[in-house]
Amino acid sequence: MYWPVGAPRVYASSRRKRKPILTNDDDRKPDSTDDEEDTNILGLRVARHGHLFVTITRSALIVWQTTPVIVLASVTRSTQSLKSYGTNVSVLLRPDSSVAVVQSSLGFLITYTITADSSARVYQQLKEGGHGRRQSNADRVAAEEERRGFPEVNIRFRMVIKVDAGVSEVLALDEELVVATEKPPAVQCIKWSPDNTGNQTSTELLSRMSWIPKKSCVVGMVYDRAMSLAVWITNEGRAFAVQRMISRPQDADEPQRLFRGYCFHTPEKANDLATQASINARFSLLAVGCANAEIHVYTAKDYVGSIPLSHKLGPPASPITTGQLSILNYSPDGYCLFAGYEKGWALWSVYGKLQASSFSTDRRISEMNDEGWLKGVQEVAWLGAGTNLLLVGPCDDRIWLMEMAKNAVTGCFCAANVGRTMLLTHSGLMVYRGYDLPLLSTISADASLWHHVQIPPTYLANQQPIRSAVISSDGRYVAIAGRRGLAHYSVSSGRWKAFNDMQAENAFVVRGGMSWYQHILIAAVETNEYHELRLYSRERGLDDSSLLYVEQLPSPVVCIALTGQDSLLVYTYQNVLYHFVINASSTSVTLVQVGHIALNGIIRAPARVRAVSWILPEHQLRDGDPSQDVAHASIIFLVDAKLVLLQPSMDGDNELKYDMRVIANNVEYFDLMRDQITLTGTPERSLPASPPALEALNGNLFNHGLRDSLWYFDGSEVQCWMDIEELIEAASSSNDMQVPLPVLISVDFYPTSVILNKGVLLGIDADLVQRRDVQFAFFRFSIRTELFLPAVLRRQLAQFDDSAASSLADRYKCLPYFSHALEILLHTVLDDEVDKTLEPGQALLPSTISFLSSFPQYLDILVQCTRKTEVRSWKTLFSHLPPPQELFEQALEQGMLKTAGGYLLVLHTFEDSDRSSEQCVTLLQRAKEAGDWDLCKELARFLMALDESGNSLREALEEMNVNVAPIGSQEKTLGAGLGISNDEVNGADSPVSSEGGAFMSPTTEDQGQGDGDYFSQQR
C-alpha cells in the first residue's frame, strides 16, 4: 500500500564538493581522502515524536529538524577526544530525544543532552514591506510563526560511559540503555538516572540465561514499545523474542533475572543465519533477514513462545545483484516493510507483495549520475506517519528524502476508501477518477485520470503529519485529519474548508475514523473530557456552531463503518459494538441508537480490530425492525490480519450468543460488496441531495450475481467468496460443512479496489524511470487492471452451476472486452488440461466449450484462442469441437469472413493442403463479392505460402474468372490490386504473411497475441 513518488530530495550537512564523474576514457580514479571519510554519515536515528533526527560522522553529532529538513545544531569532537575514546561508530537517541548516545570505536558510550530553547530562534525570515492578502486568524498565526523561525537546539556533553567488556550492540529505551557486551557475553541495563537506592546498572550473563545456548553472544537488538518486545540476534544466527522482566525483591544468593525469551528462528543451514530484524506491532509480526538475502516473517501469537513462521520474502533479484541485507524497517502503521541491501532496496506490503524496488535500475547510469539512493542503503527511517523515507547510502555524506504515497486505507479503513483508490502523500492527495468514466477509460494508464489535491498549507503546518483521509462513496468529497482537528474538500469545486479558529481546531483529535454519508461527515473524535461522534455538513463552515449533531460515548472509538441504507456501526475500546440509525430530514440529521452488543470474551483485544461490518438476512433487510438487527446480523471483524465471522444464536436460556470462526488469514484488506453497492446507491432518506455515484451503473448487474460477494487480498492473490450467505451457512456451528474455497485471482501488481460493474480489479504498479537526457531517476506509478470474470466463471462451471455462470455472463455481455474475457477463460482451461489424461467427469474443457457456444462470439473466441496457443494444444481443443471444416462453414454461413479465414490455418494443420486450398478459393470468392480487399490480399498470400510456384493462386484466380497477365506484362491485375506483384503470382519468392495477417500464416509456431488484448501489459 506504499509507493515511492517522483525523485528524492537530497540534503548534506557538509560543504564537501562532489567530485566530477570520470568517463570511461579517463584511467584516473579519485582516491578517498580522510576529509571525505570524516563527512560520511555513519548512523541515523529519529525521535519518537518525529520532529527531530540525529546523524553522526566519524567526529561529529548533528541534530536535524524533519519539517523542513534543516540542521539545527552540531557538535564536533576534539582531536584529543577522538584519540582517547575512538571515532564515532553508531548513534542512539532516547525516544523523547533528550539524550543522544554515540558509540565509539574503542568501546565507549559518549552521551549528550539535547535541549530546545523556545526563546531563541534560528532561520528567522525578514518581512518585507507591502500589503498582503486578507488572511484568516489561523493563516496569520501560521505565517507569523513561520517568520519567527525555529526554536534553537543546544547540544551539551553529558558523560562518557566506559564498558570494559566491549560493546557489541546497544538499545536506547525510555528508562535505560541496554548494552550487549562481548567478553564476557552479557547484557547490561544502565538507567538514565539512578533509582531510589542509588543503583544505576544491572547485569545478567548470557551463560545464566537458560533459554540461550551456551557460548552465544548478542550481535543485534531491536525493540518495539507498543509490543513491549525485543528481538535479539546471536552470533550463531538465531533470533529470540525477549521481554524485560519486572524487578522484584529476591534473595541475595539467587541470580538476578532481567530477561526472558524464546528462540523462534533457528537456522538449518548457513544461508538461514539471521542478520537483521524488525518488529511490526500493528500486525504482530517479527521479520528476520537472513544471510542469503531472504526475509522470514513470523507471527507472534503470544508472549510464551508461540511464534510460527508466517511467510518468506525472496530477494527481488539474485543475491549477487542485491548483496547482503543491511537493514529492515516496518512503516509506522505496519503496512509496508522496507528492506535495504548492499546494492539497493525493496518495498514489500505487509504480507509479501513487492511494491517497488531499485533493482530495475541501470547501474551504469546510476553511477554516472552519482545517485547513492539507488546503489545501496546503510540507514533508513520513516518520517511523517510514513509519507517520507530517509535513506543513507554507504560511504556517503548525503541524506536522501524520498516521498511516499500510501493508500488511504492505511489510516482509515472504511468501505469507501477500499472501493475508491485515494493516495495520501506528505502534502497532498491523489484521487483516481476513472471509476465514473466510460469503460475503456477506466483501464487507461493516462496520468490525467489522477486528481491532485494540495492540502491547505496552514493546516499542514499546524497539524502535520496527516494521519488519515477518507473519500465519499461517490468520490465527490474528501476529509483529512492531522494531529488535531480536521478539514474537508470538494473535488468538483476544488475548495477546502478548515477551522478559522485555532482554538476550536486544537480542541479535539480524530481517533476512530471518519466516514461520509452523502455530504455529511461523521467523525469519531476525542476531546479533553469526552469521546464523541460528530456530524459536519460540507455545505457549512467548520466551527463549533456549525456542528449538525454530537453523540457522546462512554469510551474511545476503535472504528466506525457505514452499512445498509442508513446504519452506522461503532466499535469501542469497551468491546461494545453500537448500532445507530442515521435519522435525516431536510432540516436536521441525528443519530439514533437502536442496539448494542457486548463482545466481552469474544474479542480479546479491542485495539487489534482494524475494521468491522455485518450481514443482515434478506428478510430482516426487507421487513425487519432495525432495533432487532443486532440479533440477526452476522458480524465480520478484521482483527490484525484475521477475518473473523461472528454468527448469532440462542443458548439454552434463550440469550443471544455468538459463535466465532476465523475464515481467512493474512488479510491486508477486505471488501464486502453489500457495503459498496449500498454506498453507491441513492439513499431513500430525504437528506439534501447529492447525486448518486456511478449513474451509468447497470442496476440489473447487482440484482443477483456478485452482489453478495466478499473479497480480500492476502499479499499474493485476490480471493473471493461469490456468495456471503453460502459462506455464513457453511461456517455455522450447527453443521459440519467446510468453509467453501474462495476463487483465486493472481495479479502481478498491487490491487487497490474491485470495480464490480466493469469486471476488473484495479491496482497500482510503480516504475523506476531513467533517461539519458535527465541526470536523475524518478518513480512514477501507473494504473493496472486484471479481469476477474474468467476466474469466477471457471469456478461456477467447475461446480456444474451452468445457470449461475450464464446469468453472471449475461450481466457483463455489454462490456467491450467481454469476448476477451471469455477467450481468457477458454485459454486458461485449455492450458491446464492440455496433455493430461482426465476422466470424463473431471475435465472442465467440454463444459467450458458448451458454455461458450451459447454466445454469438463463440466462433471468434475459438479462433483467437488457437492464435494464442501452441499447435500441440489444438489437438486437445478440437477433440471436444466439431470438425474444423464444419466450423469454417458455420462462419461462412454467418457472414463472418475473417473468422472463417482464421479456420484455414486449422484446416491446413489437420487436413491436406489441397483441401485447405479449396476452402481458401471459396473464401476468396466470398471476400471478393463482399469487397473485403484486405482479406483478399491475406488469402492470396496464404495461397502463395502453400504453393510457392504460384500455381494455386493462378488457378484460384482463374476459377474466379479473373485474368492473370503473363510474366512481364504491365497490365493491371487483381493480384496487383491486392498488393501482390506479378512476380509473386508467377512463382517468385513471397513473404509468408503481411502486417495484420498473422492468422493466415500456415506455420506450426505459436502465433502470439493479436489485436483486441485490452489487458496486455504495457511497459
Side-chain angles (χ1 to χ4, degrees):
M1 292 189 178
Y2 279 73
W3 298 271
V5 179
R9 297 187 290 274
V10 59
Y11 304 90
S13 62
S14 66
R15 297 181 180 274
R16 190 181 94 191
K17 294 183 178 180
R18 314 303 302 176
K19 290 192 174 182
I21 303 300
L22 301 177
T23 62
N24 295 333
D25 297 333
D26 197 336
D27 295 331
R28 295 179 292 108
K29 294 183 179 180
D31 296 327
S32 177
T33 65
D34 292 339
D35 292 340
E36 291 176 344
E37 293 178 358
D38 285 343
T39 60
N40 289 338
I41 296 175
L42 304 178
L44 181 149
R45 290 293 183 273
V46 179
R48 180 187 296 154
H49 54 63
H51 298 161
L52 298 176
F53 68 93
V54 297
T55 60
I56 59 165
T57 64
R58 289 180 59 187
S59 59
L61 169 68
I62 306 162
V63 179
W64 303 70
Q65 181 173 279
T66 56
T67 307
V69 178
I70 53 175
V71 174
L72 293 178
S74 67
V75 59
T76 303
R77 293 172 55 199
S78 66
T79 304
Q80 181 62 35
S81 175
L82 295 172
K83 183 178 180 180
S84 302
Y85 305 129
T87 59
N88 298 339
V89 175
S90 64
V91 64
L92 297 160
L93 192 62
R94 188 173 177 177
D96 62 3
S97 73
S98 61
V99 180
V101 181
V102 176
Q103 178 185 345
S104 71
S105 58
L106 298 182
F108 292 88
L109 299 178
I110 307 170
T111 62
Y112 297 88
T113 301
I114 300 175
T115 57
D117 186 358
S118 58
S119 61
R121 293 278 170 161
V122 294
Y123 300 104
Q124 291 177 315
Q125 298 181 18
L126 298 178
K127 181 179 179 181
E128 298 181 356
H131 297 284
R133 63 179 179 85
R134 185 176 181 181
Q135 294 179 316
S136 66
N137 180 43
D139 289 339
R140 286 195 298 271
V141 172
E144 183 62 29
E145 184 68 20
E146 184 178 352
R147 283 194 294 270
R148 291 181 59 199
F150 308 102
E152 185 178 65
V153 169
N154 297 316
I155 305 175
R156 291 184 176 90
F157 171 77
R158 190 168 184 246
M159 70 172 70
V160 175
I161 303 173
K162 183 179 180 181
V163 183
D164 295 327
V167 179
S168 174
E169 185 71 6
V170 187
L171 275 180
L173 307 182
D174 289 300
E175 303 296 333
E176 61 190 6
L177 272 175
V178 180
V179 182
T181 61
E182 298 173 342
K183 297 179 182 180
V187 178
Q188 286 187 353
C189 297
I190 307 172
K191 296 182 182 297
W192 296 111
S193 57
D195 56 19
N196 297 332
T197 63
N199 187 21
Q200 194 169 357
T201 63
S202 54
T203 306
E204 184 177 4
L205 296 173
L206 264 66
S207 60
R208 295 185 178 180
M209 298 179 186
S210 59
W211 43 274
I212 290 185
K214 304 299 181 183
K215 299 182 180 180
S216 295
C217 178
V218 176
V219 296
M221 293 189 295
V222 294
Y223 176 79
D224 185 82
R225 178 170 173 259
M227 292 188 70
S228 186
L229 186 74
V231 173
W232 292 1
I233 296 176
T234 65
N235 57 340
E236 299 170 337
R238 298 173 184 264
F240 295 82
V242 182
Q243 273 193 301
R244 182 76 156 88
M245 297 181 66
I246 301 175
S247 300
R248 294 188 179 92
Q250 48 191 353
D251 297 337
D253 298 335
E254 185 180 351
Q256 188 176 22
R257 303 297 182 187
L258 300 179
F259 302 95
R260 66 176 180 183
Y262 304 91
C263 180
F264 66 91
H265 176 83
T266 303
E268 299 179 355
K269 51 184 181 296
N271 285 340
D272 294 336
L273 295 175
T275 59
Q276 302 292 332
S278 185
I279 301 175
N280 186 337
R282 188 68 188 88
F283 292 87
S284 302
L285 299 177
L286 309 179
V288 176
C290 300
N292 62 351
E294 275 191 352
I295 303 171
H296 295 192
V297 184
Y298 297 83
T299 301
K301 293 186 175 181
D302 53 38
Y303 290 98
V304 293
S306 179
I307 309 177
L309 179 67
S310 172
H311 58 279
K312 295 182 180 180
L313 304 178
S318 67
I320 297 177
T321 303
T322 63
Q324 295 290 319
L325 267 168
S326 57
I327 194 167
L328 292 175
N329 200 338
Y330 276 104
S331 62
D333 54 27
Y335 280 90
C336 180
L337 174 63
F338 180 92
Y341 300 84
E342 289 179 337
K343 301 178 183 179
W345 53 265
L347 283 170
W348 306 84
S349 73
V350 59
Y351 284 103
K353 192 66 176 179
L354 183 64
Q355 299 193 258
S357 167
S358 68
F359 296 106
S360 60
T361 181
D362 186 331
R363 198 166 184 85
R364 183 179 58 84
I365 298 178
S366 300
E367 295 281 357
M368 184 184 305
N369 295 333
D370 195 19
E371 294 185 287
W373 67 289
L374 295 174
K375 297 186 292 183
V377 176
Q378 176 179 288
E379 294 284 352
V380 67
W382 294 89
L383 297 178
T387 53
N388 281 322
L389 196 62
L390 289 176
L391 302 175
V392 176
C395 303
D396 200 347
D397 66 334
R398 297 168 294 177
I399 299 175
W400 305 83
L401 182 66
M402 185 164 62
E403 186 176 13
M404 306 295 294
K406 64 177 185 177
N407 197 319
V409 173
T410 60
C412 184
F413 198 120
C414 65
N417 277 358
V418 175
R420 286 182 175 268
T421 300
M422 181 173 65
L423 305 182
L424 175 64
T425 65
H426 171 70
S427 59
L429 300 166
M430 289 179 281
V431 180
Y432 182 68
R433 303 195 67 183
Y435 297 94
D436 306 322
L437 297 178
L439 293 171
L440 293 182
S441 297
T442 301
I443 62 177
S444 170
D446 189 354
S448 63
L449 295 180
W450 288 97
H451 181 74
H452 295 260
V453 183
Q454 188 71 23
I455 295 174
T458 301
Y459 185 81
L460 188 64
N462 295 331
Q463 308 299 348
Q464 63 184 338
I466 304 302
R467 293 176 175 172
S468 61
V470 64
I471 191 170
S472 62
S473 59
D474 56 9
R476 297 182 63 200
Y477 305 122
V478 172
I480 59 171
R483 290 186 298 110
R484 289 199 168 265
L486 58 84
H488 49 70
Y489 173 81
S490 171
V491 175
S492 57
S493 68
R495 297 185 61 183
W496 282 95
K497 288 185 179 180
F499 284 91
N500 291 324
D501 185 358
M502 288 286 295
Q503 186 175 358
E505 182 175 87
N506 291 323
F508 69 93
V509 57
V510 175
R511 188 166 295 157
M514 300 179 289
S515 192
W516 286 96
Y517 178 76
Q518 297 190 44
H519 67 273
I520 303 300
L521 176 64
I522 305 172
V525 307
E526 292 183 19
T527 66
N528 292 333
E529 300 178 357
Y530 304 106
H531 311 288
E532 300 174 340
L533 293 175
R534 293 187 175 185
L535 273 61
Y536 295 94
S537 173
R538 171 62 198 175
E539 298 176 353
R540 299 185 183 182
L542 275 177
D543 53 64
D544 289 341
S545 62
S546 65
L547 273 173
L548 295 179
Y549 183 77
V550 177
E551 176 79 20
Q552 292 187 0
L553 298 171
S555 64
V557 176
V558 178
C559 59
I560 64 176
L562 283 173
T563 183
Q565 290 284 351
D566 51 8
S567 292
L568 176 68
L569 302 180
V570 180
Y571 181 66
T572 68
Y573 278 90
Q574 283 186 340
N575 217 348
V576 177
L577 179 65
Y578 293 93
H579 177 209
F580 293 91
V581 170
I582 303 173
N583 185 16
S585 67
S586 58
T587 58
S588 65
V589 181
T590 60
L591 297 178
V592 180
Q593 182 182 337
V594 293
H596 71 277
I597 309 168
L599 299 173
N600 297 322
I602 302 174
I603 304 296
R604 292 187 301 173
R608 313 301 302 181
V609 173
R610 293 166 52 204
V612 64
S613 185
W614 72 12
I615 303 101
L616 290 171
E618 291 290 343
H619 66 85
Q620 183 68 18
L621 279 174
R622 291 192 307 267
D623 308 317
D625 181 0
S627 64
Q628 298 301 314
D629 284 354
V630 295
H632 296 87
S634 297
I635 309 171
I636 293 179
F637 278 99
L638 182 58
V639 184
D640 285 344
K642 295 182 176 64
L643 203 57
V644 179
L645 179 64
L646 302 182
Q647 296 178 270
S649 61
M650 294 295 178
D651 60 11
D653 298 330
N654 203 29
E655 293 185 358
L656 184 65
K657 68 172 186 176
Y658 283 89
D659 301 319
M660 183 178 71
R661 185 160 185 175
V662 177
I663 58 176
N665 293 289
N666 296 359
V667 178
E668 296 196 9
Y669 67 87
F670 75 93
D671 195 358
L672 181 62
M673 282 301 144
R674 279 195 178 187
D675 293 341
Q676 296 293 352
I677 297 160
T678 304
L679 285 171
T680 55
T682 305
E684 296 177 357
R685 306 275 180 184
S686 57
L687 194 65
S690 166
L694 303 178
E695 293 178 356
L697 191 63
N698 181 3
N700 293 329
L701 178 62
F702 301 114
N703 292 338
H704 302 285
L706 299 176
R707 179 181 69 92
D708 289 336
S709 59
L710 173 63
W711 304 70
Y712 72 92
F713 180 59
D714 66 355
S716 59
E717 296 175 312
V718 176
Q719 305 196 31
C720 167
W721 283 290
M722 294 179 287
D723 190 349
I724 189 66
E725 296 287 356
E726 178 184 346
L727 174 64
I728 292 173
E729 177 64 25
S732 174
S733 60
S734 61
N735 57 53
D736 297 329
M737 296 174 59
Q738 295 291 328
V739 173
L741 295 176
V743 179
L744 304 182
I745 306 167
S746 299
V747 289
D748 60 352
F749 54 88
Y750 193 93
T752 57
S753 62
V754 181
I755 311 181
L756 200 62
N757 64 313
K758 299 181 181 180
V760 297
L761 304 174
L762 182 125
I764 296 175
D765 198 13
D767 294 320
L768 180 60
V769 179
Q770 285 182 303
R771 294 172 52 178
R772 297 183 183 274
D773 57 341
V774 178
Q775 294 184 345
F776 59 87
F778 60 94
F779 273 96
R780 67 182 179 191
F781 50 81
S782 57
I783 286 294
R784 298 282 305 281
T785 53
E786 179 75 22
L787 281 167
F788 65 73
L789 190 57
V792 175
L793 290 175
R794 180 175 180 176
R795 169 59 61 85
Q796 292 175 330
L797 293 175
Q799 295 175 341
F800 305 103
D801 196 350
D802 293 356
S803 60
S806 299
S807 176
L808 182 65
D810 186 62
R811 294 177 174 84
Y812 287 96
K813 64 183 180 181
C814 60
L815 298 177
Y817 39 82
F818 175 68
S819 61
H820 179 69
L822 298 181
E823 179 191 332
I824 293 176
L825 169 64
L826 177 60
H827 187 82
T828 53
V829 173
L830 178 61
D831 278 353
D832 288 345
E833 298 188 2
V834 67
D835 299 333
K836 290 183 180 178
T837 303
L838 299 174
E839 297 295 329
Q842 297 177 342
L844 186 59
L845 186 58
S847 58
T848 302
I849 293 175
S850 175
F851 169 72
L852 295 177
S853 64
S854 62
F855 297 96
Q857 305 96 328
Y858 170 61
L859 296 175
D860 278 327
I861 293 170
L862 295 178
V863 168
Q864 294 292 337
C865 187
T866 57
R867 291 180 55 219
K868 300 176 184 180
T869 56
E870 297 179 355
V871 172
R872 68 181 184 87
S873 303
W874 293 6
K875 183 177 180 181
T876 303
L877 176 62
F878 281 91
S879 64
H880 303 286
L881 288 170
Q885 171 66 30
E886 183 177 335
L887 296 175
F888 173 80
E889 293 174 354
Q890 289 180 19
L892 284 180
E893 291 176 1
Q894 298 178 24
M896 305 166 64
L897 301 184
K898 290 186 177 180
T899 301
Y903 286 106
L904 288 179
L905 181 58
V906 181
L907 288 168
H908 171 74
T909 303
F910 288 128
E911 301 179 8
D912 58 78
S913 58
D914 292 340
R915 181 69 173 171
S916 58
S917 297
E918 295 176 4
Q919 304 299 337
C920 184
V921 172
T922 302
L923 182 57
L924 184 60
Q925 178 67 36
R926 292 285 301 273
K928 173 178 174 291
E929 295 172 357
D932 191 342
W933 302 113
D934 289 335
L935 179 58
C936 290
K937 180 175 68 174
E938 296 304 330
L939 293 172
R941 291 187 179 277
F942 180 79
L943 289 173
M944 289 298 301
L946 292 178
D947 182 7
E948 295 183 357
S949 67
N951 292 331
S952 297
L953 178 58
R954 293 175 61 86
E955 292 174 0
L957 296 178
E958 290 175 357
E959 290 184 18
M960 296 167 58
N961 296 323
V962 176
N963 295 325
V964 180
I967 298 176
S969 172
Q970 300 300 319
E971 182 181 346
K972 186 174 180 179
T973 65
L974 175 62
L978 297 178
I980 304 175
S981 65
N982 287 333
D983 289 340
E984 292 181 89
V985 175
N986 288 283
D989 292 338
S990 63
V992 173
S993 64
S994 65
E995 182 181 359
F999 71 91
M1000 303 306 302
S1001 173
T1003 174
T1004 58
E1005 297 179 357
D1006 184 7
Q1007 300 304 313
Q1009 293 190 356
D1011 299 334
D1013 190 356
Y1014 297 100
F1015 297 88
S1016 61
Q1017 298 183 22
Q1018 297 179 3
R1019 295 286 185 184

